Amino acid sequence: MGGSPKYAGARINLESELPEAVKAGRLKLCDPLTHGDHPDPTGAGLRSGVVAIPHLRDYLAPRGVGVPLHFVTAARPRSVPADLLTLAPDSPVTYEKCIGRERGSGITNAGDYLDGVRNTIERQADGYFTLNEGAQVLADNLHRLDPIEIVKRFRLAHSKGELPIHAHGSRFRLEVGETIRDFLDLLEVAELDAWLRASAGYGFPNFAAAPVDTAEVLALAPKAARPMRKTWRDVAWDYMVQRMRTGSFATATELNHALHNEAGAGLSPFDKGEGQHRGKLWVREIAQPLSLKTIQNNWADLRAALRAV
């Protein structure tokens, strides 16, 4: 709902209005298994049925309430969703993620989400997966495996010197005892495959038969000439975690306020946004804005990183 009063009010009204719209035939209810017409849109059927996003969007359009596009974040994305490419960068989108230890949902803007998908595709094309991504890919292909347990095995193997883990930005190998972030630090596919074959008797799933659609979506240069694209996480993450350690902030809003006050001074990677980016942090090295909403969406990860140190 995006947090605005307009959407919050609409949600309260819709909780009682939508069931009545289904009963009156103004809104189509679908069977949760077949996605066809629901055979009994009453009682338990009403509670278990689903509504297609296009139907809901058409129903809400006359009152000026939009329905953001929703995306499921894949552990191994093959291409950028076509619908995402049609949106303006500041369009709100919702997403859900269930990749290893990363589980949850949120709202962001289309530009940030698009950058995230593109960066993931490009990094994985180079042969690097986060611990969570690698674990989820294994679990998806070997259904008896639990991705959370797999991440624990990665960490244990690293502690014994059997499996290298690489820092997310530089890709240098992390030493045993250094902080590991499951959602950020990386496994190299060839090294992971070798460890799996030696310890488990199978390798990392081979995706060579289903190449990534990079030509149309990413227009990537040849690998040798292609620079590694940085994100705000590469540039500012460690600074933000360190600032949380010294500031004891209870909310993302408090952290955002402190970062704004310090922008442009000392070791801060931020300047204060100007023009259309006024009110946002400006990440100096990559010349991109960082909004409060993005910090809020990553608040759980920031707190987890703080506890891990």
Side-chain angles (χ1 to χ4, degrees), residues 117-128:
V117 175
R118 283 177 165 169
N119 290 340
T120 298
I121 291 174
E122 187 171 354
R123 169 173 49 74
Q124 291 181 355
D126 280 344
Y128 288 88

Side-chain angles (χ1 to χ4, degrees), residues 170-218:
S170 66
R171 299 184 182 174
F172 293 146
R173 290 191 179 191
L174 293 174
E175 298 293 334
V176 173
E178 286 193 82
T179 299
I180 298 171
R181 291 155 291 189
D182 304 332
F183 59 91
L184 203 58
D185 292 320
L186 305 172
L187 297 166
E188 199 273 325
V189 168
E191 295 168 345
L192 174 58
D193 184 77
W195 174 74
L196 284 169
R197 293 184 185 280
S199 62
Y202 54 80
F204 193 70
N206 184 355
F207 295 95
V212 173
D213 180 11
T214 55
E216 178 180 352
V217 177
L218 302 177

Side-chain angles (χ1 to χ4, degrees), residues 163-296:
L163 179 63
I165 295 177
H166 302 258
H168 73 283
S170 66
R171 299 184 182 174
F172 293 146
R173 290 191 179 191
L174 293 174
E175 298 293 334
V176 173
E178 286 193 82
T179 299
I180 298 171
R181 291 155 291 189
D182 304 332
F183 59 91
L184 203 58
D185 292 320
L186 305 172
L187 297 166
E188 199 273 325
V189 168
E191 295 168 345
L192 174 58
D193 184 77
W195 174 74
L196 284 169
R197 293 184 185 280
S199 62
Y202 54 80
F204 193 70
N206 184 355
F207 295 95
V212 173
D213 180 11
T214 55
E216 178 180 352
V217 177
L218 302 177
L220 296 179
K223 183 172 181 179
R226 177 172 16 114
M228 185 168 54
R229 183 186 296 111
K230 289 185 177 181
T231 70
W232 68 269
R233 282 192 171 213
D234 297 316
V235 175
W237 185 270
D238 291 341
Y239 176 84
M240 293 169 69
V241 172
Q242 178 62 32
R243 190 64 187 85
M244 289 172 66
R245 184 176 302 111
T246 59
S248 301
F249 304 106
T251 67
T253 301
E254 292 179 10
L255 173 62
N256 181 66
H257 181 71
L259 295 175
H260 270 277
N261 287 341
E262 300 160 1
L267 299 176
S268 172
F270 303 110
D271 291 324
K272 294 180 180 179
E274 299 179 352
Q276 64 177 344
H277 300 300
R278 183 175 297 278
K280 298 180 181 179
L281 292 163
W282 184 256
V283 188
R284 188 182 311 113
E285 183 174 337
I286 60 175
Q288 292 182 2
L290 177 64
S291 67
L292 170 60
K293 176 60 69 176
T294 298
I295 298 175
Q296 290 172 329

Side-chain angles (χ1 to χ4, degrees), residues 70-73 94-107 113 297 300-301:
H70 183 74
F71 299 96
V72 178
T73 303
T94 60
Y95 65 90
E96 60 185 286
K97 180 184 296 187
C98 188
I99 302 175
R101 294 172 182 262
E102 294 180 85
R103 298 166 186 267
S105 59
I107 185 168
Y113 193 78
N297 289 340
D301 286 346

